[in-house]
Amino acid sequence: MAIEITSESLAGAQPEGAAAFKESLPRGLSGFPATNKPVSRLRFWRPTLRWTRRNFSSRASELSGGDAIIVSVPKSGRTWLRAFVCAYFCKRFGLEFTLRPERYRDPRVPRLIFSHDLFEHRTKGGLWDRLRGKYLVPRTELSRAKIVLLVRDPRDCFVSLYLQITRRDPNAPVDLKQKGVSDMLRDERFGVRAIVNTMNDWLNEFSRRDNFTLIRYEALRASPAEHFRDLLALLVESTPDITIFEEALKFAGFENMQKLEAAGAFDSKILRPGDVRDPESFKVRRGKVGGYREYLSFEDQKYAADALAELDVRFGY
């Protein structure tokens, strides 16, 4: 499948240690061409931190029982993906559209768990929440369910996250809301390097698993029909109803989603603008690939490019 990058295609890409240095040509993933530049893997190797994934909180049950777990950094396109999948299966089985189809308790509809996992673990809540692993998907669930890692260029991710914190999220700390984009870009928890580190840690943890799939936002934008069809196949819908599929694609389109968000048509606070008069406060904002250039100065773009050089080459960015 075009979007499926399983452990077989990624296995062996991480060195066993610093002595395992060698040159390689990274493969093209999810519709991205491979680069012709030789890349030293030693440059991307980082020792694995000694930590144990665990969730002792009551929230563990909310992150359990899914057929698939969609993991992503915030602003990686998961609302778009979620809207499409929900629109398809609700229409397919005659259910009223909702972003929470699990409330129907219909066994025909795959149960999806959406989580920011490590990113929230490192940025949300206090010390007690982190000690309990409140925002982490339980280790047993990652072994049982299909894992889908949805990724986006960390620079675009950062800009969208910055606008969400400063223009959309009423609960964001005041000190964060008052930060300029340059300061936030370099922030230890919410900056571009924090995004890069989280993506690297996920890939290191998941890449050797047989139940792992990597999906790039940019590939979805370039060819949504192809990649959403592959996503449905991953969710055991190998032969989708073409009419319903096309309707779901149209429904989840950016222009339609923006109109519905502005009209308050959704049953979830997930899709409500911070201020209907401010286009930058919408959940469905622009979705532009490479849009970060319109928000970052030349110096900030250079800083972000340096951070991107630390991203695992297997992501293809």
Side-chain angles (χ1 to χ4, degrees), residues 146-171:
K146 296 173 182 176
I147 305 169
V148 175
L149 179 56
L150 175 63
V151 299
R152 185 184 184 187
D153 187 317
R155 297 166 293 188
D156 281 330
C157 245
F158 163 75
V159 167
S160 291
L161 180 61
Y162 169 75
L163 291 170
Q164 172 160 301
I165 291 172
T166 58
R167 309 282 279 274
R168 174 180 165 78
D169 186 356
N171 299 315

PDB file of all heavy atoms in Angstrom, residues 146-171:
ATOM      1  N   LYS A 146      -3.422  -1.934  16.181  1.00  0.00           N
ATOM      2  CA  LYS A 146      -2.629  -1.358  15.100  1.00  0.00           C
ATOM      3  C   LYS A 146      -2.191   0.051  15.506  1.00  0.00           C
ATOM      4  O   LYS A 146      -2.977   0.813  16.084  1.00  0.00           O
ATOM      5  CB  LYS A 146      -3.449  -1.298  13.814  1.00  0.00           C
ATOM      6  CG  LYS A 146      -3.843  -2.664  13.293  1.00  0.00           C
ATOM      7  CD  LYS A 146      -4.801  -2.563  12.118  1.00  0.00           C
ATOM      8  CE  LYS A 146      -5.212  -3.956  11.642  1.00  0.00           C
ATOM      9  NZ  LYS A 146      -6.215  -3.904  10.559  1.00  0.00           N
ATOM     10  N   ILE A 147      -0.957   0.394  15.201  1.00  0.00           N
ATOM     11  CA  ILE A 147      -0.421   1.719  15.520  1.00  0.00           C
ATOM     12  C   ILE A 147      -0.263   2.500  14.220  1.00  0.00           C
ATOM     13  O   ILE A 147       0.400   2.045  13.290  1.00  0.00           O
ATOM     14  CB  ILE A 147       0.950   1.625  16.213  1.00  0.00           C
ATOM     15  CG1 ILE A 147       0.890   0.749  17.452  1.00  0.00           C
ATOM     16  CG2 ILE A 147       1.465   3.016  16.566  1.00  0.00           C
ATOM     17  CD1 ILE A 147       2.258   0.415  18.032  1.00  0.00           C
ATOM     18  N   VAL A 148      -0.872   3.677  14.161  1.00  0.00           N
ATOM     19  CA  VAL A 148      -0.707   4.567  13.019  1.00  0.00           C
ATOM     20  C   VAL A 148      -0.038   5.846  13.526  1.00  0.00           C
ATOM     21  O   VAL A 148      -0.590   6.551  14.373  1.00  0.00           O
ATOM     22  CB  VAL A 148      -2.059   4.916  12.363  1.00  0.00           C
ATOM     23  CG1 VAL A 148      -1.859   5.937  11.244  1.00  0.00           C
ATOM     24  CG2 VAL A 148      -2.729   3.656  11.819  1.00  0.00           C
ATOM     25  N   LEU A 149       1.153   6.130  13.024  1.00  0.00           N
ATOM     26  CA  LEU A 149       1.865   7.352  13.380  1.00  0.00           C
ATOM     27  C   LEU A 149       1.657   8.357  12.261  1.00  0.00           C
ATOM     28  O   LEU A 149       2.160   8.181  11.150  1.00  0.00           O
ATOM     29  CB  LEU A 149       3.352   7.071  13.590  1.00  0.00           C
ATOM     30  CG  LEU A 149       4.237   8.273  13.945  1.00  0.00           C
ATOM     31  CD1 LEU A 149       3.731   8.991  15.199  1.00  0.00           C
ATOM     32  CD2 LEU A 149       5.691   7.841  14.134  1.00  0.00           C
ATOM     33  N   LEU A 150       0.891   9.399  12.548  1.00  0.00           N
ATOM     34  CA  LEU A 150       0.606  10.458  11.574  1.00  0.00           C
ATOM     35  C   LEU A 150       1.599  11.588  11.794  1.00  0.00           C
ATOM     36  O   LEU A 150       1.672  12.139  12.893  1.00  0.00           O
ATOM     37  CB  LEU A 150      -0.829  10.952  11.761  1.00  0.00           C
ATOM     38  CG  LEU A 150      -1.277  12.143  10.911  1.00  0.00           C
ATOM     39  CD1 LEU A 150      -1.244  11.793   9.424  1.00  0.00           C
ATOM     40  CD2 LEU A 150      -2.674  12.601  11.328  1.00  0.00           C
ATOM     41  N   VAL A 151       2.369  11.930  10.773  1.00  0.00           N
ATOM     42  CA  VAL A 151       3.412  12.944  10.934  1.00  0.00           C
ATOM     43  C   VAL A 151       3.262  14.059   9.905  1.00  0.00           C
ATOM     44  O   VAL A 151       2.647  13.877   8.848  1.00  0.00           O
ATOM     45  CB  VAL A 151       4.819  12.324  10.826  1.00  0.00           C
ATOM     46  CG1 VAL A 151       5.038  11.284  11.917  1.00  0.00           C
ATOM     47  CG2 VAL A 151       5.064  11.719   9.445  1.00  0.00           C
ATOM     48  N   ARG A 152       3.873  15.179  10.245  1.00  0.00           N
ATOM     49  CA  ARG A 152       3.863  16.360   9.383  1.00  0.00           C
ATOM     50  C   ARG A 152       5.205  17.073   9.542  1.00  0.00           C
ATOM     51  O   ARG A 152       5.869  16.923  10.570  1.00  0.00           O
ATOM     52  CB  ARG A 152       2.708  17.284   9.789  1.00  0.00           C
ATOM     53  CG  ARG A 152       2.484  18.502   8.901  1.00  0.00           C
ATOM     54  CD  ARG A 152       1.382  19.370   9.466  1.00  0.00           C
ATOM     55  NE  ARG A 152       1.080  20.502   8.596  1.00  0.00           N
ATOM     56  CZ  ARG A 152       0.248  21.502   8.921  1.00  0.00           C
ATOM     57  NH1 ARG A 152      -0.357  21.489  10.103  1.00  0.00           N
ATOM     58  NH2 ARG A 152       0.034  22.491   8.075  1.00  0.00           N
ATOM     59  N   ASP A 153       5.606  17.846   8.559  1.00  0.00           N
ATOM     60  CA  ASP A 153       6.828  18.634   8.669  1.00  0.00           C
ATOM     61  C   ASP A 153       6.800  19.398   9.998  1.00  0.00           C
ATOM     62  O   ASP A 153       5.871  20.170  10.249  1.00  0.00           O
ATOM     63  CB  ASP A 153       6.903  19.623   7.505  1.00  0.00           C
ATOM     64  CG  ASP A 153       8.220  20.384   7.442  1.00  0.00           C
ATOM     65  OD1 ASP A 153       8.708  20.822   8.512  1.00  0.00           O
ATOM     66  OD2 ASP A 153       8.748  20.574   6.339  1.00  0.00           O
ATOM     67  N   PRO A 154       7.782  19.180  10.878  1.00  0.00           N
ATOM     68  CA  PRO A 154       7.769  19.815  12.198  1.00  0.00           C
ATOM     69  C   PRO A 154       7.665  21.344  12.156  1.00  0.00           C
ATOM     70  O   PRO A 154       7.128  21.946  13.079  1.00  0.00           O
ATOM     71  CB  PRO A 154       9.112  19.384  12.813  1.00  0.00           C
ATOM     72  CG  PRO A 154       9.416  18.087  12.157  1.00  0.00           C
ATOM     73  CD  PRO A 154       8.924  18.243  10.744  1.00  0.00           C
ATOM     74  N   ARG A 155       8.123  21.957  11.083  1.00  0.00           N
ATOM     75  CA  ARG A 155       8.041  23.420  10.978  1.00  0.00           C
ATOM     76  C   ARG A 155       6.604  23.878  10.780  1.00  0.00           C
ATOM     77  O   ARG A 155       6.157  24.847  11.412  1.00  0.00           O
ATOM     78  CB  ARG A 155       8.943  23.904   9.837  1.00  0.00           C
ATOM     79  CG  ARG A 155      10.423  23.610  10.081  1.00  0.00           C
ATOM     80  CD  ARG A 155      11.261  23.763   8.831  1.00  0.00           C
ATOM     81  NE  ARG A 155      10.930  22.745   7.830  1.00  0.00           N
ATOM     82  CZ  ARG A 155      11.609  22.554   6.706  1.00  0.00           C
ATOM     83  NH1 ARG A 155      12.673  23.310   6.443  1.00  0.00           N
ATOM     84  NH2 ARG A 155      11.253  21.615   5.850  1.00  0.00           N
ATOM     85  N   ASP A 156       5.875  23.182   9.919  1.00  0.00           N
ATOM     86  CA  ASP A 156       4.455  23.507   9.746  1.00  0.00           C
ATOM     87  C   ASP A 156       3.668  23.157  11.007  1.00  0.00           C
ATOM     88  O   ASP A 156       2.742  23.879  11.404  1.00  0.00           O
ATOM     89  CB  ASP A 156       3.881  22.739   8.549  1.00  0.00           C
ATOM     90  CG  ASP A 156       4.237  23.385   7.216  1.00  0.00           C
ATOM     91  OD1 ASP A 156       4.400  24.614   7.167  1.00  0.00           O
ATOM     92  OD2 ASP A 156       4.371  22.650   6.220  1.00  0.00           O
ATOM     93  N   CYS A 157       4.030  22.027  11.614  1.00  0.00           N
ATOM     94  CA  CYS A 157       3.388  21.618  12.867  1.00  0.00           C
ATOM     95  C   CYS A 157       3.545  22.710  13.915  1.00  0.00           C
ATOM     96  O   CYS A 157       2.590  23.088  14.598  1.00  0.00           O
ATOM     97  CB  CYS A 157       4.065  20.352  13.384  1.00  0.00           C
ATOM     98  SG  CYS A 157       2.992  18.936  13.418  1.00  0.00           S
ATOM     99  N   PHE A 158       4.772  23.195  14.054  1.00  0.00           N
ATOM    100  CA  PHE A 158       5.047  24.205  15.076  1.00  0.00           C
ATOM    101  C   PHE A 158       4.219  25.462  14.864  1.00  0.00           C
ATOM    102  O   PHE A 158       3.624  25.994  15.813  1.00  0.00           O
ATOM    103  CB  PHE A 158       6.536  24.576  15.106  1.00  0.00           C
ATOM    104  CG  PHE A 158       6.762  25.864  15.837  1.00  0.00           C
ATOM    105  CD1 PHE A 158       6.694  25.908  17.225  1.00  0.00           C
ATOM    106  CD2 PHE A 158       6.952  27.055  15.143  1.00  0.00           C
ATOM    107  CE1 PHE A 158       6.817  27.110  17.913  1.00  0.00           C
ATOM    108  CE2 PHE A 158       7.079  28.258  15.813  1.00  0.00           C
ATOM    109  CZ  PHE A 158       7.023  28.282  17.201  1.00  0.00           C
ATOM    110  N   VAL A 159       4.199  25.980  13.642  1.00  0.00           N
ATOM    111  CA  VAL A 159       3.469  27.229  13.383  1.00  0.00           C
ATOM    112  C   VAL A 159       1.991  27.073  13.717  1.00  0.00           C
ATOM    113  O   VAL A 159       1.382  27.938  14.358  1.00  0.00           O
ATOM    114  CB  VAL A 159       3.658  27.669  11.922  1.00  0.00           C
ATOM    115  CG1 VAL A 159       2.649  28.768  11.560  1.00  0.00           C
ATOM    116  CG2 VAL A 159       5.076  28.190  11.700  1.00  0.00           C
ATOM    117  N   SER A 160       1.390  25.948  13.316  1.00  0.00           N
ATOM    118  CA  SER A 160      -0.023  25.720  13.627  1.00  0.00           C
ATOM    119  C   SER A 160      -0.247  25.592  15.132  1.00  0.00           C
ATOM    120  O   SER A 160      -1.240  26.085  15.669  1.00  0.00           O
ATOM    121  CB  SER A 160      -0.518  24.455  12.915  1.00  0.00           C
ATOM    122  OG  SER A 160      -0.578  24.656  11.525  1.00  0.00           O
ATOM    123  N   LEU A 161       0.697  24.937  15.812  1.00  0.00           N
ATOM    124  CA  LEU A 161       0.592  24.796  17.264  1.00  0.00           C
ATOM    125  C   LEU A 161       0.739  26.148  17.947  1.00  0.00           C
ATOM    126  O   LEU A 161       0.008  26.457  18.899  1.00  0.00           O
ATOM    127  CB  LEU A 161       1.665  23.831  17.769  1.00  0.00           C
ATOM    128  CG  LEU A 161       1.695  23.577  19.282  1.00  0.00           C
ATOM    129  CD1 LEU A 161       0.374  22.958  19.756  1.00  0.00           C
ATOM    130  CD2 LEU A 161       2.865  22.651  19.642  1.00  0.00           C
ATOM    131  N   TYR A 162       1.653  26.957  17.469  1.00  0.00           N
ATOM    132  CA  TYR A 162       1.842  28.311  18.018  1.00  0.00           C
ATOM    133  C   TYR A 162       0.554  29.127  17.901  1.00  0.00           C
ATOM    134  O   TYR A 162       0.122  29.779  18.861  1.00  0.00           O
ATOM    135  CB  TYR A 162       2.976  29.020  17.281  1.00  0.00           C
ATOM    136  CG  TYR A 162       3.064  30.495  17.589  1.00  0.00           C
ATOM    137  CD1 TYR A 162       3.577  30.949  18.805  1.00  0.00           C
ATOM    138  CD2 TYR A 162       2.610  31.437  16.665  1.00  0.00           C
ATOM    139  CE1 TYR A 162       3.630  32.309  19.099  1.00  0.00           C
ATOM    140  CE2 TYR A 162       2.668  32.797  16.939  1.00  0.00           C
ATOM    141  CZ  TYR A 162       3.175  33.222  18.151  1.00  0.00           C
ATOM    142  OH  TYR A 162       3.220  34.575  18.441  1.00  0.00           O
ATOM    143  N   LEU A 163      -0.085  29.069  16.745  1.00  0.00           N
ATOM    144  CA  LEU A 163      -1.330  29.826  16.550  1.00  0.00           C
ATOM    145  C   LEU A 163      -2.458  29.260  17.405  1.00  0.00           C
ATOM    146  O   LEU A 163      -3.310  30.015  17.887  1.00  0.00           O
ATOM    147  CB  LEU A 163      -1.712  29.815  15.074  1.00  0.00           C
ATOM    148  CG  LEU A 163      -0.782  30.631  14.161  1.00  0.00           C
ATOM    149  CD1 LEU A 163      -1.082  30.360  12.699  1.00  0.00           C
ATOM    150  CD2 LEU A 163      -0.922  32.125  14.462  1.00  0.00           C
ATOM    151  N   GLN A 164      -2.479  27.956  17.596  1.00  0.00           N
ATOM    152  CA  GLN A 164      -3.502  27.379  18.464  1.00  0.00           C
ATOM    153  C   GLN A 164      -3.331  27.861  19.905  1.00  0.00           C
ATOM    154  O   GLN A 164      -4.308  28.207  20.574  1.00  0.00           O
ATOM    155  CB  GLN A 164      -3.437  25.854  18.421  1.00  0.00           C
ATOM    156  CG  GLN A 164      -4.348  25.200  19.462  1.00  0.00           C
ATOM    157  CD  GLN A 164      -4.688  23.769  19.158  1.00  0.00           C
ATOM    158  OE1 GLN A 164      -5.263  23.468  18.112  1.00  0.00           O
ATOM    159  NE2 GLN A 164      -4.352  22.877  20.066  1.00  0.00           N
ATOM    160  N   ILE A 165      -2.087  27.858  20.384  1.00  0.00           N
ATOM    161  CA  ILE A 165      -1.828  28.270  21.769  1.00  0.00           C
ATOM    162  C   ILE A 165      -2.140  29.742  21.966  1.00  0.00           C
ATOM    163  O   ILE A 165      -2.753  30.135  22.968  1.00  0.00           O
ATOM    164  CB  ILE A 165      -0.355  27.965  22.139  1.00  0.00           C
ATOM    165  CG1 ILE A 165      -0.136  26.453  22.228  1.00  0.00           C
ATOM    166  CG2 ILE A 165       0.014  28.628  23.463  1.00  0.00           C
ATOM    167  CD1 ILE A 165       1.316  26.053  22.396  1.00  0.00           C
ATOM    168  N   THR A 166      -1.738  30.578  21.020  1.00  0.00           N
ATOM    169  CA  THR A 166      -1.857  32.028  21.207  1.00  0.00           C
ATOM    170  C   THR A 166      -3.178  32.616  20.727  1.00  0.00           C
ATOM    171  O   THR A 166      -3.569  33.700  21.170  1.00  0.00           O
ATOM    172  CB  THR A 166      -0.706  32.754  20.488  1.00  0.00           C
ATOM    173  OG1 THR A 166      -0.728  32.419  19.088  1.00  0.00           O
ATOM    174  CG2 THR A 166       0.640  32.341  21.087  1.00  0.00           C
ATOM    175  N   ARG A 167      -3.896  31.912  19.840  1.00  0.00           N
ATOM    176  CA  ARG A 167      -5.120  32.492  19.271  1.00  0.00           C
ATOM    177  C   ARG A 167      -6.378  31.670  19.519  1.00  0.00           C
ATOM    178  O   ARG A 167      -7.487  32.179  19.336  1.00  0.00           O
ATOM    179  CB  ARG A 167      -4.954  32.640  17.744  1.00  0.00           C
ATOM    180  CG  ARG A 167      -3.691  33.359  17.321  1.00  0.00           C
ATOM    181  CD  ARG A 167      -3.787  34.865  17.474  1.00  0.00           C
ATOM    182  NE  ARG A 167      -4.491  35.455  16.361  1.00  0.00           N
ATOM    183  CZ  ARG A 167      -3.908  35.819  15.202  1.00  0.00           C
ATOM    184  NH1 ARG A 167      -2.617  35.625  15.023  1.00  0.00           N
ATOM    185  NH2 ARG A 167      -4.624  36.385  14.251  1.00  0.00           N
ATOM    186  N   ARG A 168      -6.219  30.425  19.912  1.00  0.00           N
ATOM    187  CA  ARG A 168      -7.383  29.553  19.977  1.00  0.00           C
ATOM    188  C   ARG A 168      -7.666  28.965  21.347  1.00  0.00           C
ATOM    189  O   ARG A 168      -8.824  28.857  21.758  1.00  0.00           O
ATOM    190  CB  ARG A 168      -7.194  28.414  18.961  1.00  0.00           C
ATOM    191  CG  ARG A 168      -8.245  27.343  19.009  1.00  0.00           C
ATOM    192  CD  ARG A 168      -7.978  26.268  17.985  1.00  0.00           C
ATOM    193  NE  ARG A 168      -8.777  25.087  18.256  1.00  0.00           N
ATOM    194  CZ  ARG A 168     -10.071  24.973  17.964  1.00  0.00           C
ATOM    195  NH1 ARG A 168     -10.704  25.970  17.398  1.00  0.00           N
ATOM    196  NH2 ARG A 168     -10.734  23.872  18.258  1.00  0.00           N
ATOM    197  N   ASP A 169      -6.613  28.590  22.075  1.00  0.00           N
ATOM    198  CA  ASP A 169      -6.776  27.846  23.322  1.00  0.00           C
ATOM    199  C   ASP A 169      -6.963  28.799  24.512  1.00  0.00           C
ATOM    200  O   ASP A 169      -6.010  29.441  24.956  1.00  0.00           O
ATOM    201  CB  ASP A 169      -5.556  26.962  23.555  1.00  0.00           C
ATOM    202  CG  ASP A 169      -5.724  26.050  24.763  1.00  0.00           C
ATOM    203  OD1 ASP A 169      -6.752  26.155  25.464  1.00  0.00           O
ATOM    204  OD2 ASP A 169      -4.821  25.213  24.998  1.00  0.00           O
ATOM    205  N   PRO A 170      -8.185  28.882  25.076  1.00  0.00           N
ATOM    206  CA  PRO A 170      -8.424  29.792  26.207  1.00  0.00           C
ATOM    207  C   PRO A 170      -7.757  29.320  27.491  1.00  0.00           C
ATOM    208  O   PRO A 170      -7.599  30.105  28.433  1.00  0.00           O
ATOM    209  CB  PRO A 170      -9.952  29.784  26.343  1.00  0.00           C
ATOM    210  CG  PRO A 170     -10.368  28.451  25.811  1.00  0.00           C
ATOM    211  CD  PRO A 170      -9.411  28.143  24.701  1.00  0.00           C
ATOM    212  N   ASN A 171      -7.364  28.051  27.534  1.00  0.00           N
ATOM    213  CA  ASN A 171      -6.765  27.505  28.753  1.00  0.00           C
ATOM    214  C   ASN A 171      -5.237  27.499  28.725  1.00  0.00           C
ATOM    215  O   ASN A 171      -4.605  27.026  29.672  1.00  0.00           O
ATOM    216  CB  ASN A 171      -7.261  26.065  28.966  1.00  0.00           C
ATOM    217  CG  ASN A 171      -8.770  25.995  29.133  1.00  0.00           C
ATOM    218  OD1 ASN A 171      -9.352  26.791  29.859  1.00  0.00           O
ATOM    219  ND2 ASN A 171      -9.403  25.053  28.447  1.00  0.00           N
TER     220      ASN A 171
END
